[in-house]
Structures are given as C-alpha cells and as structure tokens.
Amino acid sequence: MTQHITGRPIASMRSILADAVEMAGGQNAWSRRTGIPQSVVSETLNERREVSESIVNALGYVTQTVCIPMKGQNHA
C-alpha cells in the first residue's frame, strides 16, 4: 500500500508550534515536555529565530530538502 504524505512549508511550523504550546499549557510546559529551552520557543514564536529542526522534530515532523525548478530555468 502506498502512503500519501503531504508536506507543510517550514513557515507554517510557527503556527503549529503556537498551537502545540497552547495545548501544552504554555511555553514552560511545552519546553519541559520536549527538552527545548523556553527561550528558544519564545524567540521562535516572536520571529527572532528561525524554526529549528529540533522544534520541527518535536512537533512530529521531519525536514526534507527538495529541488524546485527556478522560473525560466526548466529544461525538458
């Protein structure tokens, strides 16, 4: 059986993180649960830090590098 996997843009991870933090009862609770420092969570949510791979993993996702053709550069 083939499994269809739908990816999410890394930018959407910030909103998923916000939801996870809220469901956990706050940044401190989520940080304790995942081992990711609360300061990193705060800086990520406030866009002072990029969403790290460790946060992506703690949210239950993995990162994957993909190649997307540049406009006008596709050669058949």
Side-chain angles (χ1 to χ4, degrees):
M1 175 171 36
T2 303
Q3 189 176 32
H4 180 69
I5 300 174
T6 302
R8 294 186 181 271
I10 193 75
S12 71
M13 290 291 104
R14 200 175 316 276
S15 123
I16 293 169
L17 172 61
D19 292 343
V21 164
E22 183 177 340
M23 289 177 60
Q27 291 180 15
N28 286 324
W30 196 81
S31 294
R32 281 191 305 273
R33 184 178 296 163
T34 61
I36 296 172
Q38 183 274 328
S39 60
V40 171
V41 175
S42 176
E43 290 171 0
T44 302
L45 288 172
N46 290 300
E47 299 183 16
R48 291 192 302 267
R49 179 186 288 259
E50 293 298 318
V51 179
S52 68
E53 187 169 359
S54 61
I55 287 179
V56 170
N57 294 162
L59 292 168
Y61 292 85
V62 294
T63 57
Q64 173 115 24
T65 303
V66 298
C67 297
I68 300 171
M70 298 183 328
K71 187 174 183 176
Q73 299 296 314
N74 314 18
H75 300 289

